[in-house]
Amino acid sequence: MKTFEDVFGGAPEVTASAPGRVNLLGEHTDYQGGFVLPTAIPQRATVGIGRNGTGQHVLYSANLEKTLRVPVGEVGEDFAPYLTGCLNLSGVTEGLNVHVTSEVPSGGLSSSAALEVATLRALREVYGLELDDVALALKGVQVEHEFVGVQCGVMDQLASSLADTRTMLLIDTRGLERRVVPFPTGAEILVMDSGVPRRLAESGYNERRAQVEEAARLLGVKQLRDVTDIATVEALPSPLRERARHVVSENARVLEGLQADAAQFGQLMNATHASLRDDYAVSHPLVDELVALLQAQPDVFGARITGAGFGGAVVALVREGTAAAVGEAVLADYGTLGKVVVP
Ligand code: GLA
């Protein structure tokens, strides 16, 4: 892969990186004021930045082997908005050379949040911006809303900015209170890529968001976080009933997970998968197959689709020391489409 020096003929002023994340419990709750429980993954996005003294940004993606040129202050296309969104929201008024490389697979592991957080970290350093790690993450969310066009919640950028790979990070997405939570004793995580490309993920995502906002309105609550009795969702028309049932039950699963041992935590993950598949309708038949193969393994406590869904990654909680072997065993049955991501 071409380095910054290969592309631009000199060293970057600053290089920064940020990890992808995998979410263990609390899916599609973060735009309804709910709870999420992600952890960082070892794979990172890395961004190098240098000033180029011109009126345009030169953006190079080493993964795509592609260069985009975007006049300062404009947005551009393709992968440009993830970067120019960060530059424009940081008030950059001069041309920058930007080199991007990422190990984070696309599809459920927050490759875009990792890119935004890495870019914002680099900009913070180049320009000495006064931005703490929470404010930086929220700027990344703003990039998604205003430049990329995804009405995402706050989980991914907060996880990329604040989480580490050794613990889970409980986030109350309403007030942004956070608590570090240890993994259940005797367990570790396995992340696999289903190889199913995410289709219509953005439109499907925005549609789900609109549906749960409508459900909250009909129930007379500010957000589904405020529903105290899950039975009340049964009065909603379908599919708002199913969508709301997922969000309300999922919030309860996160809180239960905080006290759970590995076996109980795994059961909660299995229940999350069923809820995302049946009520939230964001899974895919091949992903269901991969999850079922994982759930059938003796060393697996639980498994589920992770992230926005519509394809992409799955996560399993497995007996400590078995993740690599479980991943291999499952791949033998699942076939060439899949890949082990962690470990
Ligand atoms: C995407 C969004 C997050 C969150 C998840 C689903 O990753 O960016 O804000 O809503 O989907 O839990």
Side-chain angles (χ1 to χ4, degrees), residues 37 162 164 166-170 178-182:
L37 196 56
L162 302 170
D164 62 49
R166 297 173 308 281
T167 56
M168 302 184 286
L169 184 66
L170 172 71
R178 301 170 304 278
R179 179 167 26 124
V180 170
V181 180

Side-chain angles (χ1 to χ4, degrees), residues 21 23 26-31 36 108 110 144 150-157 198 205 307-309:
R21 65 99 188 91
N23 191 22
E27 213 67 84
H28 287 285
T29 55
D30 68 339
Y31 43 88
V36 296
S110 289
E144 292 281 342
V150 176
Q151 297 306 310
C152 66
V154 294
M155 167 171 67
D156 301 349
Q157 290 77 5
R198 294 200 299 174
Y205 186 91

Side-chain angles (χ1 to χ4, degrees), residues 207-236:
E207 181 193 67
R208 295 299 180 285
R209 183 167 178 146
Q211 287 172 333
V212 293
E213 282 168 5
E214 176 66 2
R217 198 184 63 77
L218 291 175
L219 291 170
V221 290
K222 187 163 164 264
Q223 291 179 307
L224 293 180
R225 153 74 178 272
D226 301 312
V227 173
T228 45
D229 178 5
I230 193 165
T232 58
V233 308
E234 299 303 325
L236 291 167

